[in-house]
Amino acid sequence: MKIFDHKRDGDWSAAQYTKFEQERNRPIADLLTQIPTETLNKVVDIGCGPGNSTELLASYFPNIKDISGIDNSADMIKAAQKRLPHFHFEIADISTWEGKGHYDLIFANASLQWVPDHQALFPAMLKKLNPGGTLAVQMPDNFNEPAHVLMRSVAANGTWASRLKDASKRIAREDAGWYYQMLRSKISTLNIWRTTYFHSLSGGHEAIVEWFKGTGLRPYLNALEEAEQAEFLKKYTQELAGAYPKYEDGTVLLPFPRLFIVATI
């Protein structure tokens, strides 16, 4: 059985990502409630994925006149455009994205952790805002959670270790204090918080694997051939069984910390 076609699926897979859309939407909704304005004329969703975050944005702020989305995945943009045909979506890399004019809101849900050099990235985003505009960011803060620690452990202890060395590099995310120190002199108000969500997943430890196949496991699976992918996922699933209890009904509870930043200039 095919596990993961790295030649075809090395790009983001909208279908895989949306398997847990309800759970992934919860932090989006929480972030939206903290945006300190109801008047938004021009908004962009950077790293919009399959359009679920853009859809929630439009629902929460129904009077937005101009809303668009960008993502570096053609599959994600195709899914977003199909989902929201009246909005504008385009393929673009966040790290080199210049935008079209200035925005009242730049919304970045679970995307900036993939982009390097936050010391330069965040100020660049702030410069794209109108006066009083807001940069609203949510990033997974789970690099030290067992699910990620075990990924790195399995990667480092197999025949694939040398090839997965780069895949195990830390994603681009700092702690709350780092963002506070870097942003506080550049904005008028700053709201930073951290929330841990506890997701009840049916299907046992295989469900955790399915969750991360849409995100954190991608760099590992991209570097492996199909047979190796199967072996990697088998070992990873076995390790997960020792870290996450499975309950009598077959569910597992996945703690998922996330970091939120709302910066208004």
Side-chain angles (χ1 to χ4, degrees):
M1 182 176 67
K2 185 182 80 67
I3 302 297
F4 190 89
D5 185 345
H6 69 98
K7 295 180 178 66
R8 188 193 70 186
D9 297 332
D11 196 11
W12 283 90
S13 168
Q16 184 70 38
Y17 186 84
T18 54
K19 283 184 177 181
F20 299 96
E21 183 170 309
Q22 182 177 353
E23 291 84 358
R24 297 189 194 280
N25 280 351
R26 287 181 59 192
I28 300 172
D30 290 346
L31 182 58
L32 287 169
T33 65
Q34 297 302 312
I35 295 172
T37 180
E38 296 182 358
T39 304
L40 297 169
N41 294 316
K42 189 174 183 180
V43 172
V44 62
D45 185 3
I46 60 174
C48 62
N52 57 309
S53 53
T54 319
E55 186 174 57
L56 288 173
L57 257 172
S59 176
Y60 197 83
F61 296 108
N63 296 320
I64 296 174
K65 296 179 180 178
D66 182 350
I67 186 168
S68 59
I70 68 165
D71 201 284
N72 68 350
S73 163
D75 191 53
M76 289 293 197
I77 290 297
K78 181 180 179 181
Q81 198 69 73
K82 181 178 180 180
R83 182 176 194 153
L84 302 166
H86 300 300
F87 294 166
H88 175 70
F89 296 94
E90 62 181 275
I91 300 172
D93 188 325
I94 293 173
S95 62
T96 57
W97 172 70
E98 295 183 357
K100 297 177 180 179
H102 288 77
Y103 300 86
D104 299 310
L105 172 65
I106 296 176
F107 194 81
N109 176 70
S111 58
L112 298 191
Q113 75 275 8
W114 298 105
V115 185
D117 193 8
H118 285 191
Q119 185 74 46
L121 178 66
F122 274 69
M125 292 290 143
L126 294 178
K127 289 179 181 179
K128 293 179 173 67
L129 293 172
N130 286 318
T134 296
L135 172 64
V137 176
Q138 183 273 120
M139 294 180 288
D141 195 14
N142 62 342
F143 193 73
N144 293 319
E145 289 292 305
H148 271 277
V149 172
L150 293 172
M151 279 183 215
R152 300 194 294 273
S153 175
V154 172
N157 291 283
T159 57
W160 44 63
S162 61
R163 282 173 291 148
L164 297 185
K165 185 176 181 181
D166 288 341
S168 296
K169 287 184 178 179
R170 186 175 184 275
I171 58 177
R173 191 206 55 75
E174 306 293 342
D175 62 27
W178 187 92
Y179 290 103
Y180 174 77
Q181 179 68 14
M182 188 264 291
L183 291 170
R184 62 177 181 166
S185 64
K186 299 177 177 63
I187 46 81
S188 62
T189 61
L190 180 60
N191 185 6
I192 301 178
W193 72 99
R194 186 177 190 264
T195 298
T196 298
Y197 298 85
F198 289 85
H199 299 301
S200 174
L201 305 181
S202 61
H205 301 99
E206 289 79 5
I208 299 178
V209 175
E210 285 300 310
W211 178 293
F212 286 105
K213 277 171 65 177
T215 53
L217 280 169
R218 288 179 57 252
Y220 301 92
L221 299 180
N222 285 347
L224 299 175
E225 295 298 332
E226 186 173 332
E228 292 178 306
Q229 292 170 16
E231 183 63 21
F232 183 96
L233 293 177
K234 179 181 178 181
K235 290 185 177 181
Y236 180 55
T237 305
Q238 290 171 346
E239 293 296 323
L240 289 173
Y244 296 92
K246 183 167 72 171
Y247 298 99
E248 292 181 359
D249 62 355
T251 62
V252 292
L253 197 61
L254 176 66
F256 201 121
R258 295 180 181 270
L259 182 67
F260 297 79
I261 302 168
V262 177
T264 301
I265 62 173

